[in-house]
Amino acid sequence: MKKIAFSIAIIAAVFTGCSINDGTEVVKTPVTGEITGDLTVSKTYPYGNYTLKGFAKVASGVTITFEAGSTITADKTDGDDAFVILNGGKLIAVGTAAEPIVFTEKSKVAGSWGGIIMYGDAPIVNSATNPAPQTATSEDGLALPYGGSNATHNGGTLKYVRVEYAGQVITQNNKEQNGFSFYSVGSGTTLENLVSYKGNDDGFEFYGGTVSLKNAISYGNADDAFDWQDGWRGQENTNWYAYQEVVGNYGMEIEAKSVNNAFWPKVTNITLKRAAGTATEAQSEIQLDAIQFKKEGNGEYSNIIIDGYKNQTTPTAKNGGAIQILDLTTYNNQVVGGKIKLTNVTITNTDNTFISGASTFTVAASSFLPTTNWAISTTATGAALTNGAWSTVNGATLIK
């Protein structure tokens, strides 16, 4: 029996890559392959290095699985690339802290591909008058419909996944692609320990839906670290970390398509940091701020660290601040209406606490947010994340 048990232990070590009793480490050999076109049959891609060509689309009813440690590499020289999960399809990409699944691009230039795009049929709201369920057309160049009434839509499970060098700016390319784009994705989807690294638009963007995001890093993305619209209402969001450098707009850009909703998202444990000298992406931006509310954006946010949102002097002068309310309607309906709550907020190295985003309305800082919905402190801890291979790029850790 001892010989049989020892043989089983050796076999297990070979197939899992674990050490055996003599301390020898078994090295797994990655497979290679290509991913392209419509993915119409469920498949598991074993640990390996894969080339992504074109818009790979996971069809409805299909589940695509990547094993931990896999790398999927796009190449902008052979055309536009993105990994797309269509409504009804699923992506199961479960890495580990030591063996993340990485979607990247060969040139390592921001904006070189479309990132991960997921579609669902969870509720969206983009009109105050149209009855539910409402729909809209995607901005990613595919022009696909999204929206519906399936609040628990399940697009799969993403854990310890990093997307690098993605993003397209809609004003330059007539399409918007981000590190991660979630179109009406539902609460049945699991999003945990995700990294969006040095993209040319937003790190994470939600277009309506009910999905929540836990343990997320948005690092060096040229537009907003976290962005949403269409009445996104995720309720279990926690541990969001943003670091903006060189070029970046808002840490969080919050809007609701000008609809005064009776619901809102909730996020706890947030860290928003901006490196010295970081300029706005487009000089037409009115301000540069950690959190911007506009077009009836709202929500509950707690345990927040804001650092480094200082006034910009070059190339053009702009005010920097912690909280911006862009328009009077948002102020009247969301602030005065008690639908924006920020508690346990620690602000450092930031020139202004509150900014009115438009010259057409001005609110004194002393009355900007009701004291029942605003609480500043010196003890906020922000995002609680642990560095590892999942949060390390080119030898540098992303959590500063």
Side-chain angles (χ1 to χ4, degrees), residues 253-314:
E253 186 176 46
I254 301 167
E255 68 159 289
K257 283 292 179 71
S258 299
V259 180
N260 185 11
N261 294 314
F263 54 81
W264 46 83
K266 297 178 181 179
V267 188
T268 62
N269 308 334
I270 303 166
T271 297
L272 306 175
K273 291 188 175 184
R274 190 176 183 94
T278 302
T280 55
E281 175 195 34
Q283 294 310 303
S284 59
E285 289 290 333
I286 298 172
Q287 321 283 174
L288 56 94
D289 306 284
I291 304 175
Q292 183 204 57
F293 294 92
K294 68 177 182 180
K295 296 181 179 180
E296 304 278 22
N298 54 20
E300 294 184 9
Y301 311 92
S302 61
N303 190 24
I304 307 165
I305 289 177
I306 294 172
D307 179 77
Y309 289 81
K310 299 185 68 65
N311 296 340
Q312 173 182 298
T313 57
T314 60

Side-chain angles (χ1 to χ4, degrees), residues 86-371:
L86 298 175
N87 181 27
K90 290 184 180 180
L91 171 62
I92 308 298
V94 179
T96 68
E99 293 185 300
I101 296 170
V102 179
F103 289 76
T104 189
E105 198 279 330
K106 185 177 180 181
S107 71
K108 302 185 183 300
V109 174
S112 295
W113 71 295
I116 291 178
I117 304 170
M118 181 179 289
Y119 285 88
D121 54 357
I124 70 169
V125 176
N126 56 21
S127 169
T129 57
N130 291 342
Q134 295 183 16
T135 60
T137 301
S138 67
E139 303 173 345
D140 53 9
L142 296 173
L144 293 176
Y146 65 97
S149 57
N150 181 16
T152 58
H153 156 265
N154 182 352
T157 299
L158 280 66
K159 293 184 177 181
Y160 291 103
V161 175
R162 187 167 71 241
V163 169
E164 302 173 348
Y165 313 114
Q168 299 280 342
V169 183
I170 195 167
T171 55
Q172 298 175 1
N173 303 280
N174 295 318
K175 58 187 174 185
E176 180 175 9
Q177 297 167 352
N178 309 286
F180 294 86
S181 301
F182 299 112
Y183 285 96
S184 56
V185 173
S187 61
T189 308
T190 299
L191 306 176
E192 296 180 7
N193 294 91
L194 306 184
V195 178
S196 182
Y197 178 79
K198 290 195 175 181
N200 198 40
D201 203 79
D202 301 320
F204 298 84
E205 182 151 8
F206 300 93
Y207 300 84
T210 56
V211 71
S212 294
L213 172 62
K214 299 177 181 179
N215 309 330
I217 298 172
S218 182
Y219 189 99
N221 293 292
D223 192 357
D224 309 311
F226 301 93
D227 190 358
W228 59 90
Q229 56 180 290
D230 293 321
W232 172 64
R233 62 190 86 176
Q235 296 292 293
E236 298 179 4
N237 306 281
T238 190
N239 295 327
W240 287 12
Y241 181 93
Y243 188 81
Q244 296 177 287
E245 62 176 5
V246 185
V247 173
N249 289 338
Y250 302 100
M252 294 164 56
E253 186 176 46
I254 301 167
E255 68 159 289
K257 283 292 179 71
S258 299
V259 180
N260 185 11
N261 294 314
F263 54 81
W264 46 83
K266 297 178 181 179
V267 188
T268 62
N269 308 334
I270 303 166
T271 297
L272 306 175
K273 291 188 175 184
R274 190 176 183 94
T278 302
T280 55
E281 175 195 34
Q283 294 310 303
S284 59
E285 289 290 333
I286 298 172
Q287 321 283 174
L288 56 94
D289 306 284
I291 304 175
Q292 183 204 57
F293 294 92
K294 68 177 182 180
K295 296 181 179 180
E296 304 278 22
N298 54 20
E300 294 184 9
Y301 311 92
S302 61
N303 190 24
I304 307 165
I305 289 177
I306 294 172
D307 179 77
Y309 289 81
K310 299 185 68 65
N311 296 340
Q312 173 182 298
T313 57
T314 60
T316 56
K318 295 184 183 298
N319 290 328
I323 312 297
Q324 178 195 131
I325 308 296
L326 181 63
D327 55 274
L328 182 59
T329 301
T330 298
Y331 179 80
N332 288 336
N333 291 339
Q334 307 306 319
V335 176
V336 178
K339 298 179 181 181
I340 293 176
K341 300 178 182 180
L342 301 109
T343 56
N344 192 16
V345 184
T346 296
I347 303 171
T348 55
N349 195 31
T350 296
D351 289 321
N352 303 285
T353 301
F354 300 119
I355 293 179
S356 302
S359 59
T360 53
F361 92 99
T362 302
V363 178
S366 59
S367 60
F368 206 87
L369 276 167
T371 55

